[in-house]
């Protein structure tokens, strides 16, 4: 794989049992991997861009990002041990270990060389998501019973347990790249924010705010790399971008910008070569849809497996519930999705966002203009997960 083609790795997957690699700006599908075991729930690219982890029903499979790897499109390793849907996956900064969460009620840590399980933490309720704190010594996870837990890996125990709303499923968590705060989104459309303070070897949590981001289920929350924006995806067919309160001093965005603007650089190159004259709708390389037709319809014959039947709720955002003046303000609403929006990924410079939707499409958005730069067409069932790594240096 050429240096330029490896500079931006963009993958999507979902209920059609395929993983697709895309050329981000042209929208061409450059590679397809069949995942025969089940649907794919989550994707994660290792910080060094060598590996892609794909989480399915019971198994996580590890693939090489470089198609010239001897394994080709076959998995390098399979991680087996979960007994229900795997809902979250993340890599250690050096990809030495990997963490997963599952509806079987556990969070597990795996050795990425041997595939063996190293740790097993029990929630006692289906776990919806897990993320690794940037200090690499803590995990944050959330579950269907409404719990948010922080796991101290050094002490090998749960150090904090939070219950934002009793018996309301917390669907997603996200932690700032500088470790300064984390957010949790739940099934009532509320987002909760906490500051994380490091005192010696102890983490203290300070509640910041609660605000109503959507009128129905939140499927994903994600803080931007510069910690200035918070994206929320929802069953209401929208993705909303929120301004992070006090973001100016929360992350060193200037140092990050020197080594993490690959997608933006390629965009400038595209403009210089009049690349924008290509069609806006991306295909699998043949210019046709999955069944060989030229249709670009966003509809499907029936409800997606992960959609709630008959759920057509469209909600209006509110800056705050219960009058919280510190609630995050709405910056943008990305309109164009036809069904549930399941996942999103920021570009390294926080200027672009990729979303995936039950309408089968992935979309690349320019946040400043709130416009769609590309639509990625090729999945023939709902696209529910996305992974993007356009950092110009390994993290």
């Amino acid at each position: 794989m050429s240096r330029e083609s490896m500079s931006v790795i963009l993958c999507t997957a979902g209920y059609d049992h395929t993983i697709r690699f895309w050329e981000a700006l042209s929208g061409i599908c450059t590679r397809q991997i069949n995942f025969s075991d089940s649907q794919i729930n989550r994707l994660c690219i290792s910080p060094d861009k060598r590996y892609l982890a794909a989480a399915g029903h019971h198994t996580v499979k590890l693939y090489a990002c470089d198609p010239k790897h001897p394994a080709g499109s076959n998995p390098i390793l399979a991680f087996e041990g979960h007994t229900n849907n795997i809902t979250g996956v993340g890599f250690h900064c050096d990809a030495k270990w990997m963490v997963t969460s599952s509806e079987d009620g556990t969070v597990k840590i795996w050795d990425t060389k041997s595939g063996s399980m190293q740790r097993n933490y029990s929630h006692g309720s289906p776990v919806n998501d897990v993320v690794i704190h940037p200090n690499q010594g803590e995990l944050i996870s959330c579950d269907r019973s409404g719990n948010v837990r922080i796991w101290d890996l050094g002490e090998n125990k749960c150090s904090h347990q939070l219950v934002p709303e009793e018996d309301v499923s917390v669907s997603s968590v996200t932690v700032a790249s500088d470790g300064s705060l984390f957010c949790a989104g739940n099934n009532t459309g509320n987002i909760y924010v906490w500051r994380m303070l490091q005192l010696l070897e102890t983490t203290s949590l300070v509640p910041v705010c609660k605000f109503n981001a959507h009128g129905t289920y939140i499927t994903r929350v994600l803080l931007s790399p510069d910690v200035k924006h918070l994206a929320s995806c929802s069953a209401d067919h929208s993705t909303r971008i929120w301004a992070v309160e006090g973001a100016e001093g929360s992350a060193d965005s200037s140092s990050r910008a020197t080594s993490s603007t690959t997608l933006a650089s390629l965009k400038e190159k595209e403009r210089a070569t009049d690349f924008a004259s290509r069609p806006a709708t991306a295909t699998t390389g043949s210019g046709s849809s999955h069944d060989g037709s030229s249709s670009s319809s966003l509809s499907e014959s029936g409800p997606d497996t992960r959609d709630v039947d008959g759920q057509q709720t469209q909600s209006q955002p509110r800056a705050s519930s219960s009058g919280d003046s510190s609630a995050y303000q709405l910056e943008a609403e990305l309109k164009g999705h036809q069904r549930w929006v399941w996942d999103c990924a920021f570009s390294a410079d926080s200027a672009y966002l990729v979303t995936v939707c039950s309408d089968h499409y992935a979309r690349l958005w320019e946040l400043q203009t709130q416009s769609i730069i590309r639509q990625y067409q090729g999945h023939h069932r709902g696209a529910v997960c996305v992974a993007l790594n356009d950092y110009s240096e390994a993290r």
Side-chain angles (χ1 to χ4, degrees), residues 42-315:
R42 296 296 297 273
L43 293 173
C44 187
I45 300 167
S46 63
D48 60 8
K49 301 184 182 180
R50 293 178 62 193
Y51 305 114
L52 172 71
H57 185 42
H58 290 172
T59 306
V60 177
K61 293 183 180 180
L62 196 67
Y63 297 93
C65 289
D66 188 344
K68 294 181 180 178
H69 188 280
S73 293
N74 295 314
I76 299 171
L77 205 57
F79 303 84
E80 298 179 340
H82 283 296
T83 58
N84 209 329
N85 270 317
I86 299 167
T87 55
V89 60
F91 280 103
H92 171 262
C93 62
D94 293 325
K96 293 179 179 179
W97 51 267
M98 183 178 72
V99 65
T100 56
S101 60
S102 170
E103 292 177 352
D104 65 12
T106 67
V107 170
K108 300 181 189 295
I109 294 177
W110 310 84
D111 182 281
T112 51
K113 292 197 179 297
S114 66
S116 61
M117 185 175 64
Q118 295 181 324
R119 302 274 182 91
N120 183 58
Y121 299 121
S122 177
H123 259 256
S125 179
V127 187
N128 292 325
D129 199 8
V130 64
V131 293
I132 303 173
H133 190 285
N135 64 18
Q136 307 296 300
E138 292 174 297
L139 308 175
I140 306 170
S141 56
C142 60
D143 68 33
R144 196 176 294 172
S145 294
N147 301 291
V148 176
R149 297 177 188 265
I150 298 179
W151 305 91
D152 186 319
L153 301 184
E155 297 293 327
N156 198 26
K157 68 178 184 180
C158 177
S159 60
H160 297 81
Q161 180 178 354
L162 306 167
V163 185
E165 294 178 45
E166 200 74 41
D167 296 324
V168 176
S169 178
V170 181
S171 51
S172 180
V173 288
T174 180
V175 62
S177 59
D178 60 2
S180 62
L181 58 87
F182 78 95
C183 311
N186 70 14
N187 277 6
T188 61
N190 290 329
I191 294 177
Y192 291 79
V193 184
W194 292 267
R195 285 281 173 194
M196 303 187 78
L197 303 178
Q198 292 293 138
L199 304 174
L200 299 177
E201 295 183 359
T202 304
T203 299
S204 297
L205 306 179
V206 179
V208 174
C209 67
K210 162 199 171 183
F211 65 99
N212 184 253
H214 299 268
T216 184
Y217 308 105
I218 288 175
T219 53
R220 186 73 60 230
V221 289
L222 184 65
L223 285 160
S224 62
D226 64 5
V227 201
K228 293 183 178 180
H229 313 283
L230 171 66
S232 60
C233 304
S234 173
D236 66 9
H237 306 181
S238 77
T239 297
R240 291 172 181 157
I241 309 298
W242 307 87
V244 173
E245 186 74 16
E248 291 77 13
S250 63
D252 185 4
S253 57
S254 60
S255 63
R256 225 186 310 276
T258 60
S259 61
S260 59
T261 55
T262 303
L263 187 55
S265 299
L266 290 182
K267 189 75 174 72
E268 288 303 317
K269 185 182 294 185
E270 175 194 28
R271 291 191 179 114
T273 57
D274 197 27
F275 201 79
S277 61
R278 295 196 184 191
T281 300
T283 70
T284 55
S286 62
S288 63
S289 62
H290 69 274
D291 60 358
S293 70
S294 59
S295 170
S296 59
S297 170
L298 301 184
S299 64
E300 59 184 16
S301 58
D304 185 85
T305 308
R306 294 181 72 172
D307 277 4
V308 172
D309 292 341
Q311 179 69 43
Q312 297 294 331
T313 303
Q314 298 286 348
S315 66

Side-chain angles (χ1 to χ4, degrees), residues 1-2 5-6 9 21 30-33 49-50 63-74:
M1 182 177 282
S2 70
S5 62
M6 281 293 286
I9 301 177
F21 288 73
T30 59
R31 183 184 177 195
Q32 178 178 321
I33 295 175
K49 301 184 182 180
R50 293 178 62 193
Y63 297 93
C65 289
D66 188 344
K68 294 181 180 178
H69 188 280
S73 293
N74 295 314

Side-chain angles (χ1 to χ4, degrees), residues 346-366:
F346 277 101
S347 64
D349 64 354
S350 305
Y352 301 88
L353 188 77
V354 182
T355 59
V356 287
C357 181
S358 290
D359 63 16
H360 308 178
Y361 284 75
R363 295 170 173 87
L364 173 64
W365 303 82
E366 186 173 48

